[in-house]
Amino acid sequence: MGIASDFVLIVVAGLVGGVLARMLRLPLLVGYVAAGVLVGPNTAGPTVTQIREIELLAEIGVALLLFSLGLEISFQDLKPVRRIALAGGPIALSRHSAGALGESGFAG
């Protein structure tokens, strides 16, 4: 089986998972996650075989999604949170960097 059959398997599993979640009155995301677990490489049954290619397609999809979200946001939408973002961004970055440095000291 190639990448095309893996892609079809993922789309069909997502469709079935979404329909089942909707029938059970659960969020669609629950159905999508359940479908991903069922067709993942670590479960029995039908599974994807071209794991690296599927991961690459997922990374490309995330990059395109973030790009399209960036196109949708205008500076006018960001104006109300400008002070919080300009102050909180560097604070969060420095705290996470310090935490990573501290953790790397413990890891050796």
Side-chain angles (χ1 to χ4, degrees), residues 48-64:
V48 294
T49 56
Q50 306 290 328
I51 297 168
R52 181 63 196 136
E53 287 79 5
I54 296 295
E55 287 176 352
L56 182 64
L57 283 174
E59 290 174 9
I60 292 170
V62 168
L64 291 173

Side-chain angles (χ1 to χ4, degrees), residues 16-108:
V16 170
V19 168
L20 287 175
R22 185 62 80 181
M23 285 174 33
L24 297 172
R25 298 187 190 273
L26 295 171
L28 286 176
L29 189 60
V30 173
Y32 295 155
V33 169
V37 168
L38 288 176
V39 299
N42 298 321
T43 56
T47 185
V48 294
T49 56
Q50 306 290 328
I51 297 168
R52 181 63 196 136
E53 287 79 5
I54 296 295
E55 287 176 352
L56 182 64
L57 283 174
E59 290 174 9
I60 292 170
V62 168
L64 291 173
L65 176 66
L66 290 174
F67 179 74
S68 66
L69 286 175
L71 290 177
E72 293 292 323
I73 295 177
S74 69
F75 286 115
Q76 295 299 326
D77 295 338
L78 296 176
K79 230 177 200 178
V81 295
R82 133 182 100 221
R83 288 189 181 130
I84 296 170
L86 290 176
I91 291 170
L93 184 65
S94 60
R95 289 184 68 189
H96 285 92
S97 297
L101 259 162
E103 289 292 323
S104 67
F106 288 120

